[in-house]
Amino acid sequence: MRLEVLTKNDNRKIQNGIIAKIRDLMNYKNLEPGDKLPSERMLSEKFGVSRSNVREAIQKLEFYGILKSKPQSGTFVADIGQVAVNGMMEDILRLEDPDFKSLVETRILLELKTVRLAAQRRTEEDLIRMKEALEAYGKKVENGEDAVQEDLLFHLAIAKASGNSTMNTLMLIITPEIITKFEEHHVCDKGLAFMGIKEHQDIYDAIKDQNPQLAKEKMKVHFKALYQYCYNI
């Protein structure tokens, strides 16, 4: 099992440029809610960027509900009103990269909820996915290797097991930035990695036993050292 780290910092300026051009296109071409956007090919040629860059920008606007893609039909402006669309796009263009503390706080809030849901809803397939990530993490830590990605694979498996697609999506969105920040701050070099082996096992056991309250308590224990470290840097 392998986690592809797709850092988007390098593409942020390109994406924001495309988003700004899509906003201008909507305003000056009078694209109203419900109207169809030009194809990715046409936009890439018009903006002088690759189709993959256009696709990423469109996906970002889809995530925020500004655009809607319909299979075999194309991409359309969401039916939420032009004033609201413009305001939301301006906010998206002003979004800043999250700082380390913000990422940690968001992750903790999300995971205290997802772990409870995972304990209630997990399937045998979910348990297998968690166990594989848990074992991969333990093996790397014991070999003295960096195990940040394996750590997060375990937590992503919990998010998936929660059965809540929105929470799962939010975890997937913040994970690349978490990996970057953890490596930047050498989090797993601070003695947390070895502690994580038993803590992961405790969380897994609580989920396997379908005990939501215990799973939440074990997740709190797991995050205690990270939280303290975060506020001491």
Side-chain angles (χ1 to χ4, degrees):
M1 199 159 41
R2 183 167 172 265
L3 181 66
E4 293 292 340
V5 185
L6 300 176
T7 57
K8 296 185 178 179
N9 292 339
D10 293 340
N11 292 331
R12 177 180 283 273
K13 288 183 180 179
I14 296 174
Q15 273 193 28
N16 282 354
I18 295 170
I19 289 171
K21 289 174 181 177
I22 290 175
R23 176 201 58 197
D24 294 343
L25 187 67
M26 290 165 62
N27 287 331
Y28 300 133
K29 293 293 183 180
N30 295 318
L31 288 176
E32 298 181 356
D35 286 349
K36 185 177 179 179
L37 211 65
S39 68
E40 288 180 6
R41 180 182 59 79
M42 292 176 66
L43 290 175
S44 68
E45 291 175 357
K46 183 177 181 64
F47 299 157
V49 295
S50 70
R51 288 183 65 173
S52 62
N53 288 140
V54 171
R55 190 175 303 116
E56 287 177 0
I58 287 175
Q59 287 173 345
K60 188 171 186 177
L61 292 176
E62 281 185 289
F63 173 76
Y64 288 106
I66 292 172
L67 299 178
K68 301 283 184 183
S69 286
K70 298 179 182 179
Q72 312 302 321
S73 299
T75 304
F76 298 80
V77 181
D79 192 14
I80 55 177
Q82 192 63 43
V83 174
V85 166
N86 272 325
M88 290 173 69
M89 290 183 89
E90 287 298 327
D91 287 341
I92 291 169
L93 291 171
R94 285 197 296 265
L95 285 175
E96 298 178 359
D97 289 331
D99 59 74
F100 185 59
K101 289 189 176 89
S102 297
L103 280 168
V104 170
E105 287 174 346
T106 302
R107 182 184 173 192
I108 291 173
L109 288 171
L110 272 174
E111 295 212 52
L112 290 179
K113 185 63 178 178
T114 58
V115 76
R116 283 181 57 87
L117 293 174
Q120 295 168 344
R121 301 171 177 175
R122 96 303 184 268
T123 64
E124 290 302 314
E125 184 181 341
D126 291 324
L127 290 176
I128 291 170
R129 188 179 294 108
M130 283 181 235
K131 190 69 173 176
E132 287 176 350
L134 189 155
E135 290 173 352
Y137 173 81
K139 189 176 294 184
K140 276 205 167 184
V141 171
E142 287 169 359
N143 288 336
E145 300 176 56
D146 186 316
V148 172
Q149 294 190 36
E150 286 72 21
D151 176 22
L152 288 165
L153 273 174
F154 177 71
H155 290 274
L156 286 173
I158 293 172
K160 188 176 187 306
S162 74
N164 186 303
S165 59
T166 301
M167 288 185 178
N168 189 33
T169 299
L170 288 172
M171 277 294 293
L172 287 167
I173 287 170
I174 67 174
T175 291
E177 193 67 29
I178 288 174
I179 291 173
T180 301
K181 296 295 185 184
F182 272 32
E183 290 175 344
E184 179 183 320
H185 289 273
H186 306 289
V187 171
C188 288
D189 296 341
K190 303 298 180 180
L192 301 181
F194 272 100
M195 292 166 56
I197 295 176
K198 183 181 184 304
E199 290 168 358
H200 280 183
Q201 185 66 53
D202 289 343
I203 294 166
Y204 171 83
D205 290 341
I207 293 173
K208 183 179 179 181
D209 293 341
Q210 295 189 298
N211 188 328
Q213 189 56 40
L214 182 60
K216 181 180 178 181
E217 290 305 314
K218 293 301 181 182
M219 186 66 83
K220 280 185 177 179
V221 171
H222 181 50
F223 280 137
K224 184 177 180 181
L226 173 61
Y227 192 84
Q228 290 174 338
Y229 168 69
C230 173
Y231 281 87
N232 286 323
I233 60 173

